[in-house]
Amino acid sequence: MALPNLIACVRGNHEGYLLPETPLDGMDEAERASHEWERSAVSDEARAFLAGLPFEAAVEICGLRILCTHYPRTPDGAFLPISPEKLREYCAGFDADLVLYGHDHTPFWEEGAPILASPGSLGCPGREKTAARAGILTVKDGECRWEALRLPYDPSPCLKKLRELSLPDGKIVAKIFYGAEL
């Protein structure tokens, strides 16, 4: 919220779950309870910031049109099913040279029209357990270069906090997002 040089920030599914207007339909009881608990812990300032985030942000850097999106969505606004095989089809209608996304937390770069790129995930090492993934996009004269980063990451402070908070679905969060047991 306070980054002075923020170029783009978009709303994803978990940002939406923090907002009371986002339905929690289709979730089991434990997942719904966790999201309701999370909603109660978010400040009014953070909630207002999240509510103001767009689902997509278009930026142009040195002649390169970049569309930032959490993931492509259906006409009614739902995120499309994660599908590496269909991602290019999902992005075909975007007016962009590069589509930057992140919903599946998997690092990805594929040349084409448009270029498809995902930095991965900084805070959810998942299957890698000890790596935060990110990327550096360098744009110059309408050309771009991508450097994928895989940084050592110790999830133990997050897991400790999960234990302290007694998140209703903490064991599942630890397993899915951190590849660990609480």
Side-chain angles (χ1 to χ4, degrees):
M1 289 176 10
L3 287 175
N5 60 348
L6 185 64
I7 294 172
C9 188
V10 296
R11 185 189 312 182
N13 53 314
H14 283 272
E15 289 78 18
Y17 297 154
L18 294 171
L19 302 173
E21 63 271 15
T22 302
L24 300 176
D25 303 335
M27 296 180 184
D28 65 34
E29 186 177 325
E31 185 178 9
R32 190 172 30 263
S34 280
H35 291 308
E36 288 169 355
W37 180 93
E38 291 164 349
R39 285 177 177 179
S40 73
V42 174
S43 71
D44 290 340
E45 179 186 20
R47 191 175 295 108
F49 174 79
L50 295 171
L53 289 176
F55 287 99
E56 296 174 354
V59 296
E60 187 169 319
I61 300 173
C62 298
L64 187 75
R65 298 168 302 144
I66 303 169
L67 180 77
C68 302
T69 183
H70 186 66
Y71 204 70
R73 298 177 307 131
T74 64
D76 68 349
F79 290 106
L80 287 162
I82 293 174
S83 174
E85 299 80 25
K86 291 187 176 184
L87 185 58
R88 183 151 302 283
E89 176 186 328
Y90 291 167
C91 297
F94 290 143
D95 183 24
D97 301 309
L98 183 145
V99 175
L100 189 58
Y101 70 95
H103 185 51
D104 63 5
H105 300 202
T106 303
F108 187 78
W109 176 269
E110 183 177 276
E111 297 285 337
I115 297 167
L116 304 175
S118 172
S121 176
L122 282 173
C124 300
R127 290 178 294 279
E128 292 185 61
K129 295 183 182 173
T130 59
R133 287 103 31 182
I136 298 174
L137 177 66
T138 304
V139 181
K140 184 178 179 182
D141 299 326
E143 299 292 321
C144 61
R145 184 176 55 85
W146 181 258
E147 179 184 356
L149 302 176
R150 186 180 181 281
L151 307 166
Y153 177 79
D154 178 10
S156 59
C158 295
L159 294 168
K160 180 178 183 246
K161 193 68 173 178
L162 270 175
R163 281 186 210 93
E164 291 171 6
L165 292 172
S166 300
L167 184 67
D169 210 16
K171 288 182 180 184
I172 299 208
V173 170
K175 185 172 186 155
I176 292 172
F177 290 105
Y178 298 100
E181 299 291 328
L182 276 188

